[in-house]
Amino acid sequence: MTALELAAEIRQKKVSVTQTADKCVSRAEQNEYNAYVPASVDREKVLENAAQIQSQIDAGEVKSPLAGVPVALKDNISAIGTAMTCCSKMLEGYVPVFNATVVDKLGSAGLLIVGKTNMDEFGIGCMGETSVYGAVRNPHDAARTAGGSSGGSAAAVAVGDVPLALGSDTGGSVRLPAAFCGVTAIKPTYGAVSRHGLSALASSLDQIGVIGGNVDDCAALLSVISGGDEFDATCTLAQPFEFTAQACEGLKIGIPTDYLDIADDDVKAAVLNAAETYKSAGATVEEFVMPYAKYAVPTYYILSCAEVSSNFAKFDGLKFGYRSPNANTLNDVYFMSRSEGFGEQVKRRIMFGSFVLSAEFYDTYFRQALKVRSLIRDSYKALFKQYDVVLTPTAPTVAPRLGESTDGVNHSDVFTVAPSLAGLPAITLPCGSGEGGMPVGLQLVGDTFADNALINAARLFQSRTAFHGKGAVS
């Protein structure tokens, strides 16, 4: 069943929330692909919450289309009483005292949180291999990466532990793992979902996203968590999304040929086949060259690392989290706690970010990157005067084998960072298979707050193909 079908079964009393929860917890406890943070799945607590949600549904207090559906939560999203480590030694033992806004919204809609999912440390990485708990493995091939940084959320949905999961996306962190694991994910327009309670990586880029078996399930979850929030001034969408099915007559799609040129042959073939599917549905598909494409990745890394350097200054060994037991002076506390508490990739990003923010190099790198970001944003505005959506591969390859990306940077995010820089909504959905039978992801990018039109375009493709999954619980 899909998540929406499961919720309907629960409303019709064909299955109970407790029965569903018991199945999901049993699967999560096995943690076959290291998708969950160890000890984050509390059977007793989950079943207790399931019984409470069931009573609310029976009493007619919760009427959400997803009431009773289990959901997994990325380990950088705050939930009262549940450890939030961001999969880093630095936050070892940290338990939040407040809920993220999205967690409160999940609770109000009657969704059941099963556990916290594994991720790259603090969201830094695109392979799911930098977690202090070890790498997330791909359910399609355990020798390959599940992608990152939301690899645990994507793997949990792909393997069938839960029908839905939340992740966060800075430069592709819900889209890449969803593509590698063969599921669907949506990164909404920046400002559509509150970031209150999300551990900040790069504040001008971070956005909570959704992962599910198909676009309808993802859209239903996005409608639950979207909308304004008094605790987040960057959340500018006043009311939650109300997604409505609409015909895609006259749909105009643009495909950047320079993106296809750097994709592997199997990925390129799958994406071009998807374009043919759209043509057969009556859409117009045109090719173009993406403006400023070669500057997107360096611009992204300069800006994101600068924000990492600033945001991570609070992790100093004094306020909370890890403090080195060998520190004897204040300088020791700062130096040793950060040296021992952060992993290698986090330290690299902090140092590079501090470098580009330094007085000597601020104008040379950071200020120039801000200018290029504006150019990228303006280029998309011009594109959406010609096209309704832009169609690209989600990644240039299928999921790499574990350990292939030794330095943590392999540019798998070459197609995903530009929409993030521009704050645009983007969807990834499976569109075929490539090397070793691994899933290939198709990315659709839409205009600012045109999330509904984007979802309808994705639904058109999924309605004509059989690549998407059916969800988790059966």
Side-chain angles (χ1 to χ4, degrees):
M1 288 181 286
T2 67
L4 289 168
E5 289 169 347
L6 173 60
E9 296 264 301
I10 291 171
R11 288 194 301 273
Q12 296 164 14
K13 302 188 185 302
K14 294 180 180 180
V15 63
S16 72
V17 181
T18 304
Q19 290 172 324
T20 302
D22 184 63
K23 281 190 174 184
C24 287
V25 168
S26 295
R27 294 182 65 91
E29 286 174 337
Q30 296 174 20
N31 204 16
E32 183 178 0
Y33 297 96
N34 202 30
Y36 291 89
V37 171
S40 74
V41 181
D42 185 335
R43 173 178 286 274
E44 183 177 345
K45 181 180 178 180
V46 172
L47 293 180
E48 181 182 332
N49 290 340
Q52 183 178 357
I53 291 171
Q54 184 67 66
S55 65
Q56 291 173 336
I57 293 172
D58 293 342
E61 297 172 2
V62 178
K63 297 180 180 179
S64 163
L66 291 175
V69 172
V71 61
L73 206 64
K74 189 176 179 181
D75 193 35
N76 61 350
I77 299 174
S78 175
I80 293 174
T82 302
M84 184 182 79
T85 69
C86 295
C87 294
S88 173
K89 184 178 181 180
M90 179 57 76
L91 283 180
E92 185 177 53
Y94 173 66
V95 179
V97 295
F98 70 99
N99 280 338
T101 296
V102 293
V103 171
D104 284 335
K105 290 186 175 184
L106 292 176
S108 297
L111 282 94
L112 175 69
I113 297 174
V114 172
K116 288 292 194 75
T117 55
N118 201 356
M119 56 180 280
D120 280 303
E121 183 183 9
F122 281 107
I124 292 177
C126 54
M127 291 294 110
E129 296 181 86
T130 67
S131 167
V132 72
Y133 305 115
V136 184
R137 295 183 295 277
N138 195 307
H140 293 269
D141 181 350
R144 294 178 184 264
T145 173
S149 63
S150 306
S153 292
V157 173
V159 76
D161 290 348
V162 286
L164 293 168
L166 289 187
S168 63
D169 192 305
T170 304
S173 291
V174 298
R175 289 165 285 162
L176 279 174
F180 287 163
C181 292
V183 291
T184 302
I186 303 176
K187 182 202 86 70
T189 299
Y190 183 85
V193 177
S194 171
R195 294 185 297 108
H196 174 67
L198 172 70
S199 178
L201 177 63
S203 304
S204 72
L205 297 161
D206 295 342
Q207 187 67 94
I208 292 175
V210 299
I211 300 174
N214 60 55
V215 69
D216 289 317
D217 285 355
C218 289
L221 182 56
L222 183 54
S223 68
V224 168
I225 65 171
S226 60
D229 179 20
E230 62 178 324
F231 298 113
D232 181 5
T234 67
C235 188
T236 55
L237 182 68
Q239 298 298 323
F241 284 122
E242 293 185 8
F243 296 115
T244 55
Q246 297 173 348
C248 293
E249 295 178 2
L251 183 67
K252 294 192 68 175
I253 299 174
I255 299 181
T257 53
D258 44 338
Y259 277 17
L260 294 177
D261 290 341
I262 59 176
D264 283 359
D265 289 341
D266 51 355
V267 173
K268 180 177 180 179
V271 170
L272 289 177
N273 284 337
E276 291 300 320
T277 299
Y278 273 111
K279 288 181 181 179
S280 67
T284 301
V285 179
E286 297 178 358
E287 295 182 346
F288 69 95
V289 175
M290 179 67 78
Y292 308 108
K294 66 179 180 180
Y295 302 113
V297 170
T299 298
Y300 169 77
Y301 278 100
I302 289 170
L303 296 179
S304 64
C305 288
E307 294 190 38
V308 165
S309 174
S310 176
N311 283 332
F312 284 25
K314 61 181 175 286
F315 300 118
D316 55 12
L318 295 175
K319 303 178 185 66
F320 50 82
Y322 178 79
R323 179 185 294 190
S324 174
N326 302 313
N328 296 315
T329 67
L330 182 60
N331 281 341
D332 284 349
V333 171
Y334 287 137
F335 179 80
M336 298 177 74
S337 298
R338 289 170 68 83
S339 295
E340 297 168 15
F342 287 134
E344 290 301 313
Q345 288 305 317
V346 177
K347 286 186 278 192
R348 288 183 185 185
R349 302 285 178 101
I350 291 172
M351 288 189 290
F352 180 65
S354 299
F355 171 80
V356 300
L357 287 176
S358 64
E360 185 177 358
F361 296 105
Y362 183 90
D363 287 335
T364 305
Y365 294 107
F366 185 73
R367 191 182 296 277
Q368 293 301 318
L370 288 175
K371 292 178 181 178
V372 176
R373 183 180 192 174
S374 294
L375 291 173
I376 291 172
R377 186 184 294 116
D378 291 343
S379 70
Y380 271 112
K381 288 181 181 178
L383 284 172
F384 289 122
K385 292 179 180 178
Q386 303 176 58
Y387 308 114
D388 298 306
V389 296
V390 172
L391 185 157
T392 76
T394 307
T397 69
V398 298
R401 297 188 180 279
L402 290 166
E404 284 187 353
S405 178
T406 55
D407 64 355
V409 179
N410 71 347
H411 298 326
S412 284
D413 51 6
V414 63
F415 304 140
T416 57
V417 294
S420 293
L421 288 168
L424 301 173
I427 296 178
T428 183
L429 50 156
C431 67
S433 58
E435 180 221 335
M438 297 301 292
V440 173
L442 165 73
Q443 179 179 237
L444 299 176
V445 183
D447 201 358
T448 306
F449 289 113
D451 301 58
N452 190 49
L454 189 63
I455 285 170
N456 278 303
R459 185 183 290 115
L460 176 65
F461 178 78
Q462 288 199 336
S463 69
R464 290 172 170 263
T465 57
F467 301 118
H468 58 286
K470 270 286 190 178
V473 181
S474 60

